Amino acid sequence: MMAIGCGLLLYVFLLAPPVAHLMESVMVVHMHMQMPMLVIAGFLVAPALQRVLPRLFSRWNANGVPGNLLFSIIIMYWMLPRTMDEALTAQSMEMFKFISLPLLAGIPLRDSWGKLSSTWRTATIGGFTLLFYGAGAVYLGAAEQLCNNYLLVDQITLGWAFLLTAVAMTVYLLYATLVDRAAYEG
């Protein structure tokens, strides 16, 4: 119950115009802090919706794959430079960001992750690892601005953030593959 309250409080905090403006003023903060925090807000609120609508979740997301796919599509959509730019210039896109990330990414992720097999979880993390390497290369390799609302230096910073995140995910995948957890669990 406390997590649900924290999720709602986080969502309201992120909606506050001064907070939203501050987080959107720096490209890497916009992409790697505000957007994940919106997903986390939905993730924390998900148990309340799962209790209210149990048949909906068990019916459309029985094995976790549809919810995981929806989460992945929404996250990939918001990684596009054009989409980030639109969120800063069009009020409707800004509203869509604040609705889609918690509702269409955070909630499905919470409902899906426990239902997915370890193979699907590893494939999801592996897919995002490759995507982050690719996004880092695109943001670093582009000679001109990809987002009109941010400077080229912001774009380079975001590219490095993507690459560092991808390296961290690679380390996790190597750990998960090479280390036998059963040897450490009693």
Side-chain angles (χ1 to χ4, degrees), residues 112-129:
S112 298
W113 201 252
K115 297 175 182 177
L116 291 173
S117 67
S118 63
T119 305
W120 270 103
R121 289 182 196 175
T122 303
T124 300
I125 295 170
F128 275 105
T129 302

Side-chain angles (χ1 to χ4, degrees), residues 19 22-37 150 157-158:
V19 175
L22 178 66
M23 294 187 98
E24 291 165 355
S25 66
V26 180
M27 191 177 196
V28 72
V29 174
H30 187 191
M31 176 68 78
H32 285 275
M33 283 187 69
Q34 184 192 42
M35 291 184 187
M37 288 172 78
Y150 295 110
T157 304
L158 180 63

Side-chain angles (χ1 to χ4, degrees), residues 4-169:
I4 296 165
C6 288
L8 288 173
L9 187 63
L10 177 61
Y11 185 68
V12 169
F13 174 74
L14 292 170
L15 277 174
V19 175
H21 179 71
L22 178 66
M23 294 187 98
E24 291 165 355
S25 66
V26 180
M27 191 177 196
V28 72
V29 174
H30 187 191
M31 176 68 78
H32 285 275
M33 283 187 69
Q34 184 192 42
M35 291 184 187
M37 288 172 78
L38 286 167
V39 173
I40 290 167
F43 189 89
L44 292 173
V45 171
L49 287 174
Q50 287 172 317
R51 270 187 246 119
V52 173
L53 304 166
R55 286 185 55 184
L56 174 73
F57 287 103
S58 65
R59 205 175 216 175
W60 79 271
N61 196 28
N63 63 0
V65 175
N68 190 44
L69 183 61
L70 179 60
F71 161 78
S72 299
I73 289 169
I74 294 296
I75 296 301
M76 285 187 272
Y77 176 75
W78 283 108
M79 286 177 62
L80 297 172
R82 172 80 177 163
T83 310
M84 266 182 38
D85 233 9
E86 289 274 323
L88 298 175
T89 56
Q91 192 72 21
S92 59
M93 284 298 285
E94 176 84 354
M95 286 180 6
F96 181 63
K97 177 179 73 177
F98 279 98
I99 292 168
S100 67
L101 286 169
L103 291 178
L104 301 177
I107 292 171
L109 176 64
R110 176 72 176 255
D111 186 56
S112 298
W113 201 252
K115 297 175 182 177
L116 291 173
S117 67
S118 63
T119 305
W120 270 103
R121 289 182 196 175
T122 303
T124 300
I125 295 170
F128 275 105
T129 302
L130 293 175
L131 186 65
F132 280 26
Y133 276 122
V138 166
Y139 280 108
L140 285 173
E144 66 275 342
Q145 287 176 274
L146 297 176
C147 293
N148 294 328
N149 292 297
Y150 295 110
L151 300 173
L152 191 57
V153 69
D154 289 326
Q155 179 176 305
I156 292 168
T157 304
L158 180 63
W160 281 112
F162 268 119
L163 287 179
L164 289 173
T165 305
V167 167
M169 293 167 78

